[in-house]
Amino acid sequence: MYHSEAKTKRIVFKGELGVFNRLQSIYHDSKFVEKVRESLYQGLPLIANLRCGLWYSEKFDAKVYFKSTDGHYGNWSFSTNRLNLHLLDIVNKFNGAIIIDSTRKGKKFPDSFSRTIPIWTCVINRVLLILKRKQHKQKHQQQQGEEEEEEEIEIEWDTELNMPGWVSDSEKDQVENKVVNKFVNQLLECGADLSGISKSVKKPLRPIWICCESILQWSDSIVNPEELKFHPLYLVSCSDNRREGHPSYRQYVQGAGDDEEQWSFGLTPQLFWSNHKEILAQNRDYIEDYISQLLLDSKINSIEIVDENDNSSNNNNNNNNNNNNNNNNNNNNNNNNNNNNNIDFGEIDKVGETNFYISDSLKCLNNKIWNKFDIILNCSEIIYKGIVNEEEGKDQVRKSNYLHLPIREGKIGKNDLFNQLQQAEDFIIKKLIENSSYKILIHSTTGKSNCVSIIMAIITKYFLKYNNNNNNNNNNNNNNNNNNKNGKDKNSEDDDDDDDDEEINESNFYFKFSSSPKFKVEKIDIKISYLFIEKYCSQSLPCKSMRLAVNKHLMSPKPSLVYKGYLKENKK
């Protein structure tokens, strides 16, 4: 069979961008990341900029999410849904950080490094200075020389917009004059808790750009970050733009980790690095089949939780049996003391002062962990053989406190999330009505964004409460909206914006479980819940498509129809 010249070129081009070349390119670029980490000050944490940057190292200390689209020319934006405030705590602790990302053909640095992060650092520096000056005024209200001290603080604190040299002066001036101060006001008014950060951060932030063309010296010739007047953010673009398109390097793909849904066949960075030697050793023609089998094994065969009540699995020695009995006794004691806040859950993350916990599947392979929780929701694609017993000709028999809702990770799982949010909500709320002090574990495969999405939906509808004054204001606004359904949409939007500015204050709301859901979820409710989630789960935030799925679930009246009696009472 013969193809036209154009179709032949498309086939060759598609093959060059296939999974084999991409994984080989990722492994090649990871060597540069290792070199950067060894060359720079070795105490600095290595941070991945999601989602592309997560592919380029086996071990990251943290994750951030700065989108390139927020830095596109003429479309500069500052997201209050992804504040990345946890980066300030990391930088303050280690006096700097190394952030890893990559970009596709045509550029040395992604727009997230050239524009998004420089704008973010400028906004953060200016907000911190404003807060520090306010704190300084409060502290020295009755002292003389107050103005001189304020000027000294402002001189020492860098508030300039530090952008790289390849960004034109014209664009820099537009960003400075049109958007930076606007973003400062947005951050101050969004309701985020910044007072503690402003007290702890002692130096401003400044980005420093590193690529494959940079000349790296040994760490003993680099200034210690503690000696600098700023906290350095080393922005490392790890793909080599010099190799792209060169005849000798036709197999190399610049920015190979970008848009993983289009080429990875479900392979995740964590699964790749845990099996990278075997994957990279595969032949080009068989690597896709190997990845498919690897994914299947990781979901079922390699994961097995044995129920402590299953006596058929006890094939160990007597010593092991005695140890198991002791462990069971300890687990029973833990179950009887569910209200004990001193239980050590290891690396499982607790969401604020609520009884929600999130984790990945690898941390849940211990019966001790499972026995410490009253409600367990598995929103990964993994099937636990000891929890779900499958028999021929019979339905699955599930533990009463366990529910499995398979939701794919990332953007491709947005429909799975939306379709199963109501079932997850009904399951958890039913258990909390029985006992509101139940400890709830929600876990997914590797990331935790699915878990966070489910928690955000539940706390918005059942936990978020306002003080009395705010409740009265909300009721009045709802009545006005019902009386003016037609013709006053613009005015109501303006009122909602005003309410957002007034009510997003930690003293105006709190979180406490209620068995009755909110009659109507407003945008301000979702915004407050998201700020709460970001404060405690800053490295597990869902992507935009998943947030929209949660918003659609909360704002739609259909899910609330489950509680018909409640709705009828409110409508009356």
Side-chain angles (χ1 to χ4, degrees), residues 76 115-124 161 163 175 180 183:
W76 310 289
R115 296 167 177 84
T116 305
I117 293 183
I119 292 174
W120 179 85
T121 56
C122 178
V123 172
I124 292 294
L161 177 60
M163 302 187 78
V175 174
V180 171
F183 296 158

Side-chain angles (χ1 to χ4, degrees), residues 13-113:
F13 180 74
K14 184 178 180 180
E16 290 177 350
L17 297 179
V19 63
F20 181 84
N21 287 349
R22 285 181 179 273
L23 294 179
Q24 294 286 348
S25 302
I26 286 172
Y27 184 73
H28 171 271
D29 294 339
S30 69
K31 297 298 182 181
F32 177 70
V33 174
E34 293 179 7
K35 181 181 178 181
V36 170
R37 191 169 196 177
E38 294 173 357
S39 301
L40 295 176
Y41 187 66
Q42 296 184 359
L44 295 180
L46 190 67
I47 302 176
N49 187 35
L50 298 177
R51 294 175 298 140
C52 179
L54 195 59
W55 284 92
Y56 292 97
S57 180
E58 184 173 1
K59 294 181 180 180
F60 281 103
D61 299 304
K63 296 175 288 187
V64 292
Y65 194 9
F66 293 99
K67 294 185 67 174
S68 292
T69 53
D70 290 344
H72 287 176
Y73 182 83
N75 191 36
W76 310 289
S77 59
F78 184 91
S79 175
T80 55
N81 291 327
R82 289 175 279 100
L83 293 175
N84 294 296
L85 295 180
H86 64 286
L87 181 57
L88 295 177
D89 296 328
I90 296 173
V91 168
N92 188 54
K93 181 178 180 180
F94 296 96
N95 295 298
I98 304 171
I99 304 178
I100 305 298
D101 202 353
S102 178
T103 186
R104 288 181 286 185
K105 181 178 179 181
K107 296 183 293 185
K108 293 181 181 179
F109 290 87
D111 285 340
S112 59
F113 281 3

Side-chain angles (χ1 to χ4, degrees), residues 496-507:
D496 289 342
D497 293 338
D498 295 337
D499 291 340
D500 290 359
D501 295 339
E502 294 178 0
E503 296 181 4
I504 298 187
N505 188 309
E506 289 192 354
S507 62

Side-chain angles (χ1 to χ4, degrees), residues 143-396:
Q143 295 182 3
Q144 296 181 352
E146 182 178 320
E147 296 181 357
E148 296 179 358
E149 291 181 3
E150 288 181 14
E151 292 179 357
E152 184 178 354
I153 292 177
E154 189 170 1
I155 293 174
E156 293 180 355
W157 196 266
D158 181 18
T159 59
E160 294 296 323
L161 177 60
N162 297 301
M163 302 187 78
W166 56 86
V167 175
S168 66
D169 294 337
S170 174
E171 181 177 355
K172 182 179 178 181
D173 291 339
Q174 291 183 60
V175 174
E176 174 72 38
N177 297 327
K178 292 183 179 181
V179 298
V180 171
N181 291 331
K182 175 183 175 183
F183 296 158
V184 169
N185 293 330
Q186 288 180 1
L187 180 55
L188 289 172
E189 296 172 358
C190 75
D193 184 12
L194 301 171
S195 58
I197 297 175
S198 64
K199 293 178 181 178
S200 60
V201 178
K202 304 301 181 184
K203 294 187 291 186
L205 308 177
R206 180 178 295 181
I208 298 176
W209 295 269
I210 297 176
C211 66
C212 295
E213 298 179 5
S214 303
I215 300 176
L216 300 176
Q217 304 294 335
W218 295 107
S219 58
D220 57 358
S221 63
I222 297 177
V223 178
N224 191 317
E226 296 181 359
E227 301 175 3
L228 298 173
K229 294 183 178 181
F230 56 88
H231 289 308
L233 295 178
Y234 296 101
L235 310 181
V236 180
S237 181
C238 57
S239 287
D240 191 350
N241 66 300
R242 299 170 296 180
R243 297 169 63 100
E244 181 71 30
H246 193 280
S248 302
Y249 304 109
R250 289 300 297 273
Q251 294 183 344
Y252 179 79
V253 181
Q254 182 183 352
D258 200 12
D259 292 333
E260 60 188 58
E261 293 87 358
Q262 299 181 8
W263 59 266
S264 66
F265 298 97
L267 186 68
T268 62
Q270 294 83 356
L271 190 59
F272 167 69
W273 282 108
S274 60
N275 302 274
H276 70 278
K277 293 182 179 180
E278 294 80 3
I279 294 175
L280 296 175
Q282 298 300 311
N283 185 281
R284 180 190 300 269
D285 297 329
Y286 302 104
I287 190 170
E288 294 180 11
D289 294 335
Y290 183 81
I291 291 175
S292 299
Q293 186 61 40
L294 187 65
L295 289 170
L296 181 62
D297 294 342
S298 67
K299 292 178 182 178
I300 301 177
N301 296 336
S302 62
I303 306 293
E304 184 171 0
I305 300 292
V306 179
D307 189 358
E308 62 178 352
N309 296 323
D310 187 2
N311 296 325
S312 62
S313 63
N314 295 330
N315 296 323
N316 297 325
N317 295 329
N318 292 331
N319 292 334
N320 292 331
N321 289 332
N322 293 331
N323 291 333
N324 289 334
N325 291 331
N326 293 332
N327 288 334
N328 290 336
N329 292 331
N330 292 333
N331 290 332
N332 291 332
N333 292 333
N334 287 333
N335 287 331
N336 293 331
N337 296 316
N338 284 328
N339 293 327
N340 184 5
N341 294 326
N342 296 323
I343 295 178
D344 182 15
F345 292 101
E347 298 181 0
I348 296 178
D349 301 325
K350 185 178 181 182
V351 183
E353 298 301 322
T354 68
N355 285 333
F356 285 100
Y357 296 79
I358 61 174
S359 175
D360 58 48
S361 299
L362 297 179
K363 298 173 185 175
C364 296
L365 300 182
N366 189 340
N367 279 330
K368 296 179 182 179
I369 296 297
W370 289 73
N371 293 327
K372 289 179 180 178
F373 294 95
D374 304 287
I375 306 172
I376 302 171
L377 176 59
N378 174 13
C379 56
S380 71
E381 296 181 274
I382 295 176
I383 298 175
Y384 295 102
K385 294 182 179 180
I387 300 299
V388 179
N389 299 319
E390 298 180 355
E391 299 180 7
E392 295 183 0
K394 294 184 179 181
D395 295 333
Q396 294 180 348

